[in-house]
Amino acid sequence: MIKIENLKKQFGETIACNIPSFTVNDGDVLGLVGNNGAGKTTLFRMILDLLKPEEGSIEIDNINPATNEEWKDTTGAYIDEGFLIDFLTPEEYFAFIGKISNTSDDELTERLKDFEKFAGGEIFGQNKLIRNLSAGNKQKVGIISALLRNPKLVVLDEPFNFLDPTSQITLKHLIKDYHDKTGATIIISSHNLLHTIEISTRIVLLEKGNIIRDLPNSSESAKEELNAYFDN
């Protein structure tokens, strides 16, 4: 569970985040949507202790991420390619993640099999440094790395960016299957409204740092209200 209280962040005159109170429940697949400047990435960076708020607090399973790092053991995240070690090959990078998480080589090999279809023959065995991959393949490496340790909290910022249509559809199935298998809490921000509606159990709409809608999304029930908002 993630609990947010009185969270505020401002850049100059721009209010990037102003959330009085908000809870992400265990097992939610939460879609975070909003136009450019809504504050989605800012919120993610504060949740992951990459950015300090001016006011307020965030707790992950009753842990303040700014003062205790235990939450990192059960969290997988990918925001942008700054998360990657780009002078490694994908295999070397995954091996590094396995090493720091005490995952055996055999277990790592088995886990990577789950991502072969998503990798699409363009990640494994290519003998390329991450820095030399296309933007879409860097995105795939980042998403795989976020899911590799079977985290119970997953945070993905614009995961459909740079992916071709086939990879986007594969990613939707991957996220759904991962949630069904693990019951993990998954938070995704995306400009792709259709994909977000299809995979989320709950959708939050941000506008200028404020949560203006918190919608249940059983059987894509949030679709009509969201389409009406973005159509204005």
Side-chain angles (χ1 to χ4, degrees):
M1 178 185 291
I2 300 175
K3 293 183 68 175
I4 293 172
E5 296 291 339
N6 300 314
L7 193 66
K8 294 183 180 180
K9 183 66 182 178
Q10 193 163 336
F11 299 103
E13 298 299 317
T14 301
I15 297 173
C17 183
N18 181 21
I19 301 177
S21 182
F22 183 67
T23 299
V24 182
N25 301 308
D26 289 342
D28 277 349
V29 181
L30 180 69
L32 203 61
V33 299
N35 290 316
N36 289 335
K40 302 184 295 296
T41 301
T42 297
L43 177 57
F44 278 175
R45 289 189 175 277
M46 287 191 288
I47 289 173
L48 297 171
D49 192 36
L50 300 172
L51 187 65
K52 303 295 184 185
E54 268 90 42
E55 299 179 27
S57 65
I58 298 170
E59 289 186 351
I60 300 175
D61 290 337
N62 299 313
I63 295 171
N64 180 346
T67 60
N68 186 320
E69 296 194 349
E70 290 182 11
W71 61 278
K72 292 182 179 180
D73 294 335
T74 56
T75 300
Y78 184 67
I79 303 295
D80 55 40
E81 64 182 74
F83 276 48
L84 305 175
I85 304 176
D86 69 357
F87 57 82
L88 301 178
T89 66
E91 287 91 345
E92 290 171 337
Y93 182 52
F94 299 141
F96 168 75
I97 293 172
K99 185 175 182 179
I100 63 175
S101 60
N102 295 315
T103 303
S104 70
D105 291 344
D106 288 344
E107 188 177 1
L108 183 68
T109 298
E110 284 301 308
R111 289 186 185 180
L112 286 172
K113 289 180 181 178
D114 293 337
F115 304 103
E116 287 179 350
K117 183 176 180 181
F118 180 54
E122 299 178 320
I123 302 297
F124 305 131
Q126 300 302 301
N127 198 30
K128 286 185 178 181
L129 301 180
I130 291 172
R131 66 168 61 134
N132 295 327
L133 297 177
S134 67
N137 285 332
K138 289 178 183 176
Q139 189 83 345
K140 290 181 180 181
V141 171
I143 293 167
I144 292 169
S145 69
L147 297 173
L148 192 56
R149 297 181 299 145
N150 288 332
K152 70 174 187 177
L153 171 62
V154 179
V155 178
L156 299 174
D157 192 17
E158 297 290 350
F160 299 102
N161 272 5
F162 311 119
L163 299 183
D164 59 48
T166 297
S167 297
Q168 290 182 27
I169 292 170
T170 302
L171 178 58
K172 284 194 298 182
H173 292 303
L174 182 64
I175 291 170
K176 285 183 177 180
D177 290 346
Y178 183 80
H179 181 257
D180 290 344
K181 176 183 175 183
T182 67
T185 304
I186 302 175
I187 313 176
I188 292 173
S189 79
S190 181
H191 285 122
N192 191 312
L193 195 60
L194 178 60
H195 290 340
T196 305
I197 290 171
E198 288 179 344
I199 64 175
S200 300
T201 61
R202 178 184 176 194
I203 296 181
V204 163
L205 176 58
L206 279 175
E207 183 179 283
K208 296 180 180 179
N210 297 280
I211 294 175
I212 62 171
R213 302 279 197 285
D214 184 356
L215 304 171
N217 191 45
S218 176
S219 302
E220 301 183 14
S221 59
K223 186 174 184 178
E224 183 175 350
E225 187 167 349
L226 290 170
N227 282 339
Y229 171 84
F230 287 107
D231 194 39
N232 287 335

